[in-house]
Amino acid sequence: MRDVVLGLVGVGRIGVMHANNIAALNEVLNPQDINVRLRLTDVVEEHARAVASGLGAEFLPSVQALLGSGLDGLVIATGTGTHPELIKAGVDAGVPVFCEKPVALNVADAMLVLDYIRDRQGVVQIGHQRRFDAGYLEARRAYQAGELGWIHSLRAVTCDMTPPPVEFLAGSGGLFRDCSVHDFDILRWLTGREIVEVYAKGSNNGDPAIGEAGDVDTALALVTFDDGTVGTVSATRYNGAGHDVRLEIQGSRSSLMVGLDDKSALATAEAGITFPAGEPHLTFAERFEKAYRSEMTAFVELILGRRENPCTPEDAVAASRVADAAQESLATGVPVRVALSIAR
């Protein structure tokens, strides 16, 4: 049996989720093959110690101590502003890195990180978990198999039930960078095409503090792909019906809807119809619970050399370029061309 030691930096909301998923990996992976062990750190020491104790993990007092303890992989679940330096630290330590999206606060800074990774031949997986969701995987398979024909329209929806704290939003980079970037990524991944232009509009009808922080609580982006196909990406922080993430793909032969099931956060106005019958998801963690688990399994497989990188930093930066263009369009009120490359 081989030990695989993962180090986790950051045990906030998403970090705790990753910690729990890592702790459960031995139930997923062949126990006769590998044994996953978890070490973690966070600046809020008391909380981190409690998380470690509850999971049978080991707490270490600093990132330096964590990296010096002999890791096989580093998982980064801290605030976006810390991502560049932590990614570099993991690369310098010679271990594969998993980092929550995005690579950096802006594309220009992210490009410097990409250069750093390439120059040192680092291995970095970025956390775009929708690539592991069963519905998105099936939609991609169906499209690639030709079952949908050619796509004429795409409609992506991401709706939070309630907004995160305003303090988080103030440093998130905006609704498109924080939330819709997942849709931009999945549209590129599913179609294999680049988004070349974005036209965005937004509104603020909820907490005025969101607007005061420089963000909007609801937004819509019209996207144009490099082959002329069009799509829409919409997002809101105030979807009282529940957490709602869907993608509608309409093709010349058939159409598919990702995320349409008995837990969909919607109701029908048609008489005699009882769909959906279940209780809606309340958070993104519930909606993508299985995808997040599969994502961390994939990271271990990447460490072991058993699979290719499922989401490279280049993939993540490409989605961030679209998000940047959307934020610019939102601010200027005009369509914005997406920068498909940035010089080194």
Side-chain angles (χ1 to χ4, degrees):
M1 182 179 293
R2 172 182 170 179
D3 280 348
V4 174
V5 183
L6 297 184
L8 171 65
V9 185
V11 285
R13 177 177 60 165
I14 201 163
V16 168
M17 181 193 69
H18 283 312
N20 279 286
N21 289 343
I22 291 168
L25 278 174
N26 288 327
E27 301 174 9
V28 178
L29 300 165
N30 186 347
Q32 302 303 314
D33 186 8
I34 65 170
N35 177 53
V36 178
R37 296 164 52 200
L38 173 62
R39 297 170 184 162
L40 58 83
T41 191
D42 192 285
V43 293
V44 185
E45 182 173 331
E46 183 177 355
H47 170 64
R49 284 186 180 276
V51 172
S53 176
L55 294 174
E58 181 181 355
F59 170 81
L60 290 172
S62 68
V63 175
Q64 293 74 21
L66 191 68
L67 288 170
S69 69
L71 301 179
D72 295 296
L74 178 69
V75 177
I76 301 168
T78 52
T80 299
T82 66
H83 290 181
E85 293 309 312
L86 288 173
I87 290 173
K88 292 177 185 178
V91 169
D92 287 343
V95 298
V97 175
F98 174 92
C99 184
E100 271 301 328
K101 63 83 185 166
V103 173
L105 283 169
N106 57 65
V107 170
D109 288 347
M111 291 302 297
L112 298 176
V113 180
L114 289 190
D115 288 343
Y116 197 92
I117 296 168
R118 292 165 180 158
D119 290 346
R120 290 156 182 80
Q121 298 183 317
V123 176
V124 180
Q125 177 184 339
I126 303 298
H128 276 290
Q129 87 286 350
R130 295 187 192 185
R131 293 178 176 220
F132 299 91
D133 178 77
Y136 286 106
L137 285 165
E138 170 58 18
R140 188 179 192 231
R141 183 209 62 77
Y143 172 62
Q144 292 182 341
E147 295 171 13
L148 307 182
W150 52 268
I151 294 176
H152 62 78
S153 304
L154 297 116
R155 299 179 182 89
V157 175
T158 297
C159 301
D160 288 331
M161 186 174 180
T162 55
V166 173
E167 295 77 15
F168 168 81
L169 296 179
S172 70
L175 184 60
F176 286 119
R177 291 191 182 101
D178 168 52
C179 183
S180 297
V181 69
H182 284 292
D183 292 300
F184 298 141
D185 174 71
I186 213 68
L187 289 175
R188 293 183 65 257
W189 173 80
L190 192 151
T191 64
R193 310 214 68 96
E194 296 291 346
I195 296 171
V196 297
E197 186 179 84
V198 185
Y199 177 49
K201 300 290 286 185
S203 64
N204 262 314
N205 293 316
D207 187 350
I210 294 178
E212 293 166 6
D215 202 1
V216 294
D217 60 46
T218 302
L220 175 71
L222 171 65
V223 300
T224 303
F225 292 83
D226 56 10
D227 65 347
T229 301
V230 294
T232 57
V233 174
S234 63
T236 186
R237 303 289 192 186
Y238 286 100
N239 197 61
H243 188 78
D244 187 13
V245 175
R246 287 175 282 118
L247 174 63
E248 183 179 355
I249 310 130
Q250 292 184 302
S252 60
R253 295 182 61 188
S254 186
S255 297
L256 276 180
M257 175 78 86
V258 177
L260 187 65
D261 59 24
D262 270 330
K263 295 183 77 66
S264 294
L266 49 81
T268 179
E270 305 302 327
I273 305 298
T274 59
F275 175 85
E279 292 296 320
H281 297 291
L282 302 182
T283 67
F284 70 90
E286 290 180 29
R287 169 65 176 84
F288 291 108
E289 179 182 4
K290 292 180 181 179
Y292 276 115
R293 290 179 180 176
S294 296
E295 179 181 60
M296 201 51 58
T297 300
F299 180 53
V300 173
E301 293 171 345
L302 178 65
I303 291 171
L304 296 172
R306 296 179 179 176
R307 67 171 299 157
E308 296 295 319
N309 193 337
C311 187
T312 67
E314 288 82 3
D315 291 329
V317 171
S320 290
R321 287 187 184 126
V322 182
D324 278 4
Q327 291 291 155
E328 182 182 343
S329 178
L330 182 65
T332 62
V334 299
V336 173
R337 298 290 294 181
V338 178
L340 297 183
S341 64
I342 296 177
R344 295 179 58 139

